[in-house]
Amino acid sequence: MYRQARYDTRTVFELGGGSDPCVRLKKDLEDAVPDGMMRKGLCLPEVPERDVVMHYVNLSQRNFSVDNGLYPLGSCTMKYNPKFADILASMPSVTSIHPYQDDDTVQGALRLMHRLEQALCAISDMDAVTLQPAAGAHGEFTGMLIAKAYHKANGQDRTEVVIPDSAHGTNPASAAMAGFGVLEIPSNPDGCVDIEALKNAVSHKTAAFMITNPNTLGIFEDQIREIADIVHDSGALLYYDGANFNAILGMTSPGKMNFDIMHFNLHKTFATPHGGGGPGAGPVGVREHLTKFLPVPRVVERDGKYRLDYDRPDSIGKVRAFHGNFAVLVRAYAYILRHGADGLSEISQAAVLNSNYLKSKLTGEFDLPYRTLRKHEFVISARRQAKDRKVKALDIAKRLLDYGYMAPTIYFPSLVEEALMIEPTETETKETLDRFADTLIQISREDPEVVHAAPSNTSVGRVDELFAARNLILTWKDYLAIEKEEKGSR
Amino acid sequence: MTIDGRMLKELGIGDVEALFADIPKDIRKDRFDLPDGLDEREVVRAIREMLSADLNSEKAPCFLGAGIYDHFIPAAVKSIVMRSEFITAYTPYEAEISQGMLHSMFEYQSLVSELTGMDVVNSSNYDASTALGEAATMCHRILPKKRFLIPEAMSWEKKSVLRNYLRGPGLEAVEYGYDPYTGGLDPVSLAEKMDDNVCGVYAEVPNFFGTIDPAVMRLKEMFPSVPVVIGVDPISLGLLTPPGEYGADIVIGEGQSLGSPMNFGGPLLGIFACRKEHVRKMPGRLIGMTRDNAGERAFCMTLQTREQHIRRSKATSNICTNEALMAVAAAVYLSVVGPKGLEAIAKANISNARNLMTRIDELPGFDAPAFKAYHFNEFVVRTSVRPEKLNKHLARKGIIGGLDLGRHIPRMNEHMLFATTEMHSEEDHDKLIAALREVA
């Protein structure tokens, strides 16, 4: 059994001894601020550094991370991040450079970006890469803007993006953000793209078809060339969601599969820690015919010197300020250097082996919809457990926490009833996978009452999400207001 | 990685290749155009060496700003955000086991709410420029009109990012001018651009020229029915009236100043705050306080029905991966420096800027500040020397010079933007002045 730390749940606002944290500002520099613009007071907590550090260290111990244990979060690729990359990214030569420095003073940083772009081209078989997007979804948005610019340059008004119903939610959201109408098509009984549905959906209005391969069920869409032909014949572009790239690294590539645009999730595929939700990095790769639309600046090499080239008339412009999440790029580049051509293929081989091994240990106890061979992840169904024992995917997920595992992604994709989406990644050993499988099977057979009561070993018990949505306590001030109201009514 | 033969055996397959039988032969990749892997020592050496010759603010005082600033980061902040439990976690989907991250983000929301005077703060956008893009489209959701007003005096990069965010809903960014004497917003120009088709108006304080423009405080009064978006430097709010007190509907800003390094431009931290009545129209992730089944205080993500993983194409934005760790850094930073510390830092930025601009102004061939106004930590310098030439000279002297403003506002090609912060000592200023004297 696992036991997470249980410290008190005070916020930093309550650490100052309960006195009013508001500080009245001193007026000594009043002549430095226009009339009426001087702030009167500042209500930030005033806490000694020792207590602040103790507070956040205690909080960290109430948080689960990859370094604590298995994090089998399907669709998110939570693998171990080697520490040397973090150390490199915290060197002053990374942290203390300003993006507007003269190119001559940052030749090393520009060279690193250029080499990373080239490596990503080699890995993906794309012709050019921009490192600017800050996250995978931001890369999708960038890709959609490029698709828009491309069709516009060809004098075409294409207004729709087609997306399978199994896609990540970011795909339709990104397409809509770029102003496209979204047409979702159903999957076929194998969990793959329904070719007939695709044929019926694409038209002269289609700007792009967005998919990930392997898809969110972990199944490789083996009719991808046919899909590409259908999309291209209609004049549309084929977009690759790189979220699952970890599964095919070195085995095939978006370029080989005939994709036109793709994004990388550097934090997933090239192992940079996720930071509790970010930062990430979502570089976008394109084929030759789309290169001129990439965001500015582009890193170019001229006469042995690296330059940031802003002079690109067809570019879509910028998608964020400056050049991208450089500290994440450094980590990804270090990771690529470490593994090299030989090691990168082994990553996906090990990830796929781990996934299929774990899947084989769980089928039987759980239903496995669709065909059996999987790539990096697989989705099992707890429908039998839900029907026979009233133990739902959510209950199983919560019970797993008690055993010291992050829960798999649940209820996604929606095609699978009571879905548990599991991605073990390449960095886990057979022993870890065996223990995890045993635990899941044990939970499936455990007294349903115990499972329903889970989790009980985490720092808090089952959290009331409905209460949060109804009461909307989003800041400390909201809390104080509600507390005051409650006291008043008592 | 090594392939574990025991697992192959249990699966009853001889070779890992069998697991890739579903990838058709004609799309298999046979080889990489990449060198073989290196060991850890070699990688560390290669990257250290690659970056070693670059100039950085630890070697040379940095006078660049324009959205990213060299501020001091207390060691306690670095120490906390480097902790495995924060840095290697993912989005806290399972609340019970992720209280540390959720609780820290709630504190970030609360602290930035205090700082900006706004009701609601999301737990991060990518940077200030994308936050502005999201703010403009949110204005359009509040008031479905087609034009969004922005200052001409703004970073061209931010304008470019904004235009890309406006493409989807088909909005147009319209620029209003600045007062050539003060550098503040020109109310006449603004009034001219304001009409029935405007969904929102944006202004910055301090603005792109580093000036603290009191006119922003009258925006809501001037245009009560139009959503007002204010862009801030959060450090300046240690001293300045928060936008929430003068009626801002949305506040955005670059949070890098709060405990994150410059990192050559990223990761940054997009601050995004709004008034409570608009919370359901806001982009990004929100953390709420709640309770567990024993009634104990707990935190979880909330109002997720706005987000892409639930609402898909109808979501308020596509944000998934954000800048959570930078938000934690900001929370720790604000907690460590406290109200008095932040006030002192804000004042140090103001007085350093005053000192430096006075000294530059005394040099022949330089005019500083070019705009007669109050400044925060940066200011425009008019120079008779070409900015590019000047910066090359400064770099040779071990100084990271100012920004060539002509790149952002074409008619300002004789102007530079210099930033100074609490990082600069009197000696750093001496060094800059001496070097400028040489080229004047």
Side-chain angles (χ1 to χ4, degrees), chain A residues 228-255:
Chain A
D229 288 345
I230 294 166
V231 172
H232 289 146
D233 287 349
S234 78
L237 298 169
L238 190 59
Y239 184 96
Y240 184 81
D241 173 344
N244 300 340
F245 198 19
N246 199 48
I248 56 160
L249 212 51
M251 310 308 285
T252 179
S253 71

PDB file of all heavy atoms in Angstrom, chain A residues 228-255:
ATOM      1  N   ALA A 228      -4.529   9.072 -47.244  1.00  0.00           N
ATOM      2  CA  ALA A 228      -3.788  10.223 -47.787  1.00  0.00           C
ATOM      3  C   ALA A 228      -4.236  10.520 -49.212  1.00  0.00           C
ATOM      4  O   ALA A 228      -4.431  11.686 -49.580  1.00  0.00           O
ATOM      5  CB  ALA A 228      -2.295   9.955 -47.732  1.00  0.00           C
ATOM      6  N   ASP A 229      -4.419   9.478 -50.002  1.00  0.00           N
ATOM      7  CA  ASP A 229      -4.834   9.683 -51.398  1.00  0.00           C
ATOM      8  C   ASP A 229      -6.218  10.331 -51.480  1.00  0.00           C
ATOM      9  O   ASP A 229      -6.435  11.244 -52.279  1.00  0.00           O
ATOM     10  CB  ASP A 229      -4.845   8.346 -52.155  1.00  0.00           C
ATOM     11  CG  ASP A 229      -3.427   7.845 -52.423  1.00  0.00           C
ATOM     12  OD1 ASP A 229      -2.476   8.657 -52.275  1.00  0.00           O
ATOM     13  OD2 ASP A 229      -3.256   6.658 -52.755  1.00  0.00           O
ATOM     14  N   ILE A 230      -7.132   9.834 -50.638  1.00  0.00           N
ATOM     15  CA  ILE A 230      -8.489  10.401 -50.652  1.00  0.00           C
ATOM     16  C   ILE A 230      -8.440  11.891 -50.313  1.00  0.00           C
ATOM     17  O   ILE A 230      -9.044  12.731 -50.973  1.00  0.00           O
ATOM     18  CB  ILE A 230      -9.399   9.659 -49.644  1.00  0.00           C
ATOM     19  CG1 ILE A 230      -9.604   8.203 -50.084  1.00  0.00           C
ATOM     20  CG2 ILE A 230     -10.737  10.380 -49.468  1.00  0.00           C
ATOM     21  CD1 ILE A 230     -10.204   7.307 -49.009  1.00  0.00           C
ATOM     22  N   VAL A 231      -7.662  12.199 -49.268  1.00  0.00           N
ATOM     23  CA  VAL A 231      -7.571  13.588 -48.819  1.00  0.00           C
ATOM     24  C   VAL A 231      -6.913  14.456 -49.897  1.00  0.00           C
ATOM     25  O   VAL A 231      -7.416  15.520 -50.266  1.00  0.00           O
ATOM     26  CB  VAL A 231      -6.789  13.663 -47.488  1.00  0.00           C
ATOM     27  CG1 VAL A 231      -6.497  15.111 -47.102  1.00  0.00           C
ATOM     28  CG2 VAL A 231      -7.570  12.953 -46.378  1.00  0.00           C
ATOM     29  N   HIS A 232      -5.798  13.972 -50.432  1.00  0.00           N
ATOM     30  CA  HIS A 232      -5.067  14.766 -51.426  1.00  0.00           C
ATOM     31  C   HIS A 232      -5.851  14.923 -52.728  1.00  0.00           C
ATOM     32  O   HIS A 232      -5.814  15.985 -53.352  1.00  0.00           O
ATOM     33  CB  HIS A 232      -3.687  14.149 -51.680  1.00  0.00           C
ATOM     34  CG  HIS A 232      -2.759  14.330 -50.514  1.00  0.00           C
ATOM     35  ND1 HIS A 232      -1.804  13.394 -50.167  1.00  0.00           N
ATOM     36  CD2 HIS A 232      -2.657  15.327 -49.601  1.00  0.00           C
ATOM     37  CE1 HIS A 232      -1.148  13.828 -49.095  1.00  0.00           C
ATOM     38  NE2 HIS A 232      -1.649  14.995 -48.740  1.00  0.00           N
ATOM     39  N   ASP A 233      -6.549  13.867 -53.117  1.00  0.00           N
ATOM     40  CA  ASP A 233      -7.343  13.952 -54.356  1.00  0.00           C
ATOM     41  C   ASP A 233      -8.421  15.029 -54.257  1.00  0.00           C
ATOM     42  O   ASP A 233      -8.825  15.609 -55.265  1.00  0.00           O
ATOM     43  CB  ASP A 233      -8.004  12.596 -54.670  1.00  0.00           C
ATOM     44  CG  ASP A 233      -6.975  11.584 -55.166  1.00  0.00           C
ATOM     45  OD1 ASP A 233      -5.822  12.017 -55.451  1.00  0.00           O
ATOM     46  OD2 ASP A 233      -7.286  10.377 -55.237  1.00  0.00           O
ATOM     47  N   SER A 234      -8.863  15.278 -53.026  1.00  0.00           N
ATOM     48  CA  SER A 234      -9.896  16.308 -52.864  1.00  0.00           C
ATOM     49  C   SER A 234      -9.274  17.702 -52.793  1.00  0.00           C
ATOM     50  O   SER A 234      -9.979  18.703 -52.673  1.00  0.00           O
ATOM     51  CB  SER A 234     -10.697  16.053 -51.587  1.00  0.00           C
ATOM     52  OG  SER A 234      -9.958  16.486 -50.463  1.00  0.00           O
ATOM     53  N   GLY A 235      -7.955  17.760 -52.817  1.00  0.00           N
ATOM     54  CA  GLY A 235      -7.264  19.049 -52.746  1.00  0.00           C
ATOM     55  C   GLY A 235      -6.993  19.504 -51.321  1.00  0.00           C
ATOM     56  O   GLY A 235      -6.513  20.621 -51.098  1.00  0.00           O
ATOM     57  N   ALA A 236      -7.310  18.645 -50.343  1.00  0.00           N
ATOM     58  CA  ALA A 236      -7.109  19.018 -48.943  1.00  0.00           C
ATOM     59  C   ALA A 236      -5.723  18.588 -48.459  1.00  0.00           C
ATOM     60  O   ALA A 236      -5.019  17.846 -49.147  1.00  0.00           O
ATOM     61  CB  ALA A 236      -8.190  18.387 -48.073  1.00  0.00           C
ATOM     62  N   LEU A 237      -5.356  19.048 -47.273  1.00  0.00           N
ATOM     63  CA  LEU A 237      -4.074  18.702 -46.670  1.00  0.00           C
ATOM     64  C   LEU A 237      -4.280  17.648 -45.582  1.00  0.00           C
ATOM     65  O   LEU A 237      -5.343  17.608 -44.949  1.00  0.00           O
ATOM     66  CB  LEU A 237      -3.412  19.943 -46.072  1.00  0.00           C
ATOM     67  CG  LEU A 237      -3.078  21.065 -47.064  1.00  0.00           C
ATOM     68  CD1 LEU A 237      -2.687  22.340 -46.309  1.00  0.00           C
ATOM     69  CD2 LEU A 237      -1.958  20.648 -48.011  1.00  0.00           C
ATOM     70  N   LEU A 238      -3.248  16.847 -45.358  1.00  0.00           N
ATOM     71  CA  LEU A 238      -3.334  15.821 -44.328  1.00  0.00           C
ATOM     72  C   LEU A 238      -2.484  16.257 -43.134  1.00  0.00           C
ATOM     73  O   LEU A 238      -1.286  16.525 -43.268  1.00  0.00           O
ATOM     74  CB  LEU A 238      -2.832  14.488 -44.894  1.00  0.00           C
ATOM     75  CG  LEU A 238      -3.052  13.235 -44.038  1.00  0.00           C
ATOM     76  CD1 LEU A 238      -4.532  13.007 -43.762  1.00  0.00           C
ATOM     77  CD2 LEU A 238      -2.453  12.004 -44.720  1.00  0.00           C
ATOM     78  N   TYR A 239      -3.127  16.357 -41.977  1.00  0.00           N
ATOM     79  CA  TYR A 239      -2.462  16.867 -40.768  1.00  0.00           C
ATOM     80  C   TYR A 239      -2.197  15.746 -39.781  1.00  0.00           C
ATOM     81  O   TYR A 239      -3.109  14.989 -39.421  1.00  0.00           O
ATOM     82  CB  TYR A 239      -3.331  17.946 -40.101  1.00  0.00           C
ATOM     83  CG  TYR A 239      -2.645  18.569 -38.907  1.00  0.00           C
ATOM     84  CD1 TYR A 239      -1.947  19.761 -39.038  1.00  0.00           C
ATOM     85  CD2 TYR A 239      -2.653  17.942 -37.661  1.00  0.00           C
ATOM     86  CE1 TYR A 239      -1.272  20.314 -37.963  1.00  0.00           C
ATOM     87  CE2 TYR A 239      -1.985  18.481 -36.571  1.00  0.00           C
ATOM     88  CZ  TYR A 239      -1.295  19.666 -36.728  1.00  0.00           C
ATOM     89  OH  TYR A 239      -0.628  20.206 -35.654  1.00  0.00           O
ATOM     90  N   TYR A 240      -0.959  15.666 -39.311  1.00  0.00           N
ATOM     91  CA  TYR A 240      -0.576  14.631 -38.343  1.00  0.00           C
ATOM     92  C   TYR A 240      -0.480  15.205 -36.940  1.00  0.00           C
ATOM     93  O   TYR A 240       0.338  16.080 -36.661  1.00  0.00           O
ATOM     94  CB  TYR A 240       0.777  14.038 -38.746  1.00  0.00           C
ATOM     95  CG  TYR A 240       1.226  12.888 -37.874  1.00  0.00           C
ATOM     96  CD1 TYR A 240       0.735  11.600 -38.075  1.00  0.00           C
ATOM     97  CD2 TYR A 240       2.142  13.086 -36.839  1.00  0.00           C
ATOM     98  CE1 TYR A 240       1.146  10.548 -37.274  1.00  0.00           C
ATOM     99  CE2 TYR A 240       2.552  12.040 -36.035  1.00  0.00           C
ATOM    100  CZ  TYR A 240       2.047  10.771 -36.257  1.00  0.00           C
ATOM    101  OH  TYR A 240       2.450   9.726 -35.466  1.00  0.00           O
ATOM    102  N   ASP A 241      -1.307  14.687 -36.040  1.00  0.00           N
ATOM    103  CA  ASP A 241      -1.242  15.042 -34.617  1.00  0.00           C
ATOM    104  C   ASP A 241      -0.133  14.191 -33.996  1.00  0.00           C
ATOM    105  O   ASP A 241      -0.260  12.969 -33.896  1.00  0.00           O
ATOM    106  CB  ASP A 241      -2.611  14.755 -33.984  1.00  0.00           C
ATOM    107  CG  ASP A 241      -2.618  14.923 -32.467  1.00  0.00           C
ATOM    108  OD1 ASP A 241      -1.535  14.968 -31.850  1.00  0.00           O
ATOM    109  OD2 ASP A 241      -3.721  14.984 -31.891  1.00  0.00           O
ATOM    110  N   GLY A 242       0.947  14.834 -33.589  1.00  0.00           N
ATOM    111  CA  GLY A 242       2.138  14.111 -33.137  1.00  0.00           C
ATOM    112  C   GLY A 242       2.085  13.587 -31.713  1.00  0.00           C
ATOM    113  O   GLY A 242       3.102  13.120 -31.195  1.00  0.00           O
ATOM    114  N   ALA A 243       0.908  13.632 -31.091  1.00  0.00           N
ATOM    115  CA  ALA A 243       0.820  13.227 -29.689  1.00  0.00           C
ATOM    116  C   ALA A 243       1.260  11.779 -29.468  1.00  0.00           C
ATOM    117  O   ALA A 243       1.766  11.438 -28.406  1.00  0.00           O
ATOM    118  CB  ALA A 243      -0.603  13.421 -29.171  1.00  0.00           C
ATOM    119  N   ASN A 244       1.075  10.944 -30.471  1.00  0.00           N
ATOM    120  CA  ASN A 244       1.413   9.527 -30.307  1.00  0.00           C
ATOM    121  C   ASN A 244       2.679   9.122 -31.057  1.00  0.00           C
ATOM    122  O   ASN A 244       2.898   7.947 -31.342  1.00  0.00           O
ATOM    123  CB  ASN A 244       0.235   8.657 -30.772  1.00  0.00           C
ATOM    124  CG  ASN A 244      -1.032   8.929 -29.979  1.00  0.00           C
ATOM    125  OD1 ASN A 244      -0.969   9.472 -28.887  1.00  0.00           O
ATOM    126  ND2 ASN A 244      -2.173   8.578 -30.532  1.00  0.00           N
ATOM    127  N   PHE A 245       3.517  10.089 -31.357  1.00  0.00           N
ATOM    128  CA  PHE A 245       4.711   9.844 -32.178  1.00  0.00           C
ATOM    129  C   PHE A 245       5.691   8.891 -31.492  1.00  0.00           C
ATOM    130  O   PHE A 245       6.466   8.185 -32.135  1.00  0.00           O
ATOM    131  CB  PHE A 245       5.375  11.199 -32.464  1.00  0.00           C
ATOM    132  CG  PHE A 245       6.342  11.200 -33.614  1.00  0.00           C
ATOM    133  CD1 PHE A 245       6.348  10.206 -34.585  1.00  0.00           C
ATOM    134  CD2 PHE A 245       7.268  12.232 -33.735  1.00  0.00           C
ATOM    135  CE1 PHE A 245       7.244  10.239 -35.648  1.00  0.00           C
ATOM    136  CE2 PHE A 245       8.167  12.269 -34.786  1.00  0.00           C
ATOM    137  CZ  PHE A 245       8.164  11.263 -35.747  1.00  0.00           C
ATOM    138  N   ASN A 246       5.646   8.870 -30.165  1.00  0.00           N
ATOM    139  CA  ASN A 246       6.522   7.986 -29.398  1.00  0.00           C
ATOM    140  C   ASN A 246       6.421   6.528 -29.870  1.00  0.00           C
ATOM    141  O   ASN A 246       7.357   5.754 -29.727  1.00  0.00           O
ATOM    142  CB  ASN A 246       6.120   8.078 -27.914  1.00  0.00           C
ATOM    143  CG  ASN A 246       7.200   7.580 -26.969  1.00  0.00           C
ATOM    144  OD1 ASN A 246       8.358   7.958 -27.110  1.00  0.00           O
ATOM    145  ND2 ASN A 246       6.828   6.736 -26.032  1.00  0.00           N
ATOM    146  N   ALA A 247       5.280   6.173 -30.434  1.00  0.00           N
ATOM    147  CA  ALA A 247       5.021   4.777 -30.811  1.00  0.00           C
ATOM    148  C   ALA A 247       5.694   4.354 -32.106  1.00  0.00           C
ATOM    149  O   ALA A 247       5.869   3.161 -32.358  1.00  0.00           O
ATOM    150  CB  ALA A 247       3.513   4.574 -30.949  1.00  0.00           C
ATOM    151  N   ILE A 248       6.053   5.311 -32.942  1.00  0.00           N
ATOM    152  CA  ILE A 248       6.527   4.934 -34.281  1.00  0.00           C
ATOM    153  C   ILE A 248       7.886   5.525 -34.618  1.00  0.00           C
ATOM    154  O   ILE A 248       8.373   5.388 -35.730  1.00  0.00           O
ATOM    155  CB  ILE A 248       5.519   5.387 -35.366  1.00  0.00           C
ATOM    156  CG1 ILE A 248       5.267   6.895 -35.275  1.00  0.00           C
ATOM    157  CG2 ILE A 248       4.218   4.591 -35.261  1.00  0.00           C
ATOM    158  CD1 ILE A 248       4.706   7.484 -36.550  1.00  0.00           C
ATOM    159  N   LEU A 249       8.488   6.151 -33.629  1.00  0.00           N
ATOM    160  CA  LEU A 249       9.800   6.783 -33.798  1.00  0.00           C
ATOM    161  C   LEU A 249      10.775   5.820 -34.479  1.00  0.00           C
ATOM    162  O   LEU A 249      11.049   4.736 -33.954  1.00  0.00           O
ATOM    163  CB  LEU A 249      10.304   7.109 -32.392  1.00  0.00           C
ATOM    164  CG  LEU A 249      11.167   8.316 -32.140  1.00  0.00           C
ATOM    165  CD1 LEU A 249      10.562   9.574 -32.717  1.00  0.00           C
ATOM    166  CD2 LEU A 249      11.349   8.469 -30.633  1.00  0.00           C
ATOM    167  N   GLY A 250      11.242   6.177 -35.632  1.00  0.00           N
ATOM    168  CA  GLY A 250      12.221   5.336 -36.311  1.00  0.00           C
ATOM    169  C   GLY A 250      11.631   4.156 -37.056  1.00  0.00           C
ATOM    170  O   GLY A 250      12.336   3.474 -37.796  1.00  0.00           O
ATOM    171  N   MET A 251      10.351   3.866 -36.874  1.00  0.00           N
ATOM    172  CA  MET A 251       9.737   2.712 -37.535  1.00  0.00           C
ATOM    173  C   MET A 251       9.011   3.146 -38.810  1.00  0.00           C
ATOM    174  O   MET A 251       9.024   2.451 -39.811  1.00  0.00           O
ATOM    175  CB  MET A 251       8.770   2.001 -36.592  1.00  0.00           C
ATOM    176  CG  MET A 251       9.347   1.671 -35.223  1.00  0.00           C
ATOM    177  SD  MET A 251      10.914   0.770 -35.291  1.00  0.00           S
ATOM    178  CE  MET A 251      10.369  -0.866 -35.760  1.00  0.00           C
ATOM    179  N   THR A 252       8.326   4.294 -38.720  1.00  0.00           N
ATOM    180  CA  THR A 252       7.779   4.944 -39.896  1.00  0.00           C
ATOM    181  C   THR A 252       7.787   6.434 -39.547  1.00  0.00           C
ATOM    182  O   THR A 252       8.332   6.811 -38.517  1.00  0.00           O
ATOM    183  CB  THR A 252       6.361   4.439 -40.249  1.00  0.00           C
ATOM    184  OG1 THR A 252       5.897   5.154 -41.398  1.00  0.00           O
ATOM    185  CG2 THR A 252       5.375   4.650 -39.116  1.00  0.00           C
ATOM    186  N   SER A 253       7.228   7.254 -40.412  1.00  0.00           N
ATOM    187  CA  SER A 253       7.243   8.683 -40.108  1.00  0.00           C
ATOM    188  C   SER A 253       6.071   9.355 -40.801  1.00  0.00           C
ATOM    189  O   SER A 253       5.526   8.823 -41.777  1.00  0.00           O
ATOM    190  CB  SER A 253       8.541   9.318 -40.591  1.00  0.00           C
ATOM    191  OG  SER A 253       8.529   9.368 -42.007  1.00  0.00           O
ATOM    192  N   PRO A 254       5.702  10.527 -40.322  1.00  0.00           N
ATOM    193  CA  PRO A 254       4.616  11.272 -40.978  1.00  0.00           C
ATOM    194  C   PRO A 254       4.930  11.524 -42.459  1.00  0.00           C
ATOM    195  O   PRO A 254       4.027  11.465 -43.293  1.00  0.00           O
ATOM    196  CB  PRO A 254       4.549  12.575 -40.173  1.00  0.00           C
ATOM    197  CG  PRO A 254       5.076  12.213 -38.825  1.00  0.00           C
ATOM    198  CD  PRO A 254       6.152  11.198 -39.074  1.00  0.00           C
ATOM    199  N   GLY A 255       6.192  11.793 -42.760  1.00  0.00           N
ATOM    200  CA  GLY A 255       6.571  12.010 -44.163  1.00  0.00           C
ATOM    201  C   GLY A 255       6.344  10.762 -44.994  1.00  0.00           C
ATOM    202  O   GLY A 255       5.771  10.810 -46.089  1.00  0.00           O
TER     203      GLY A 255
END
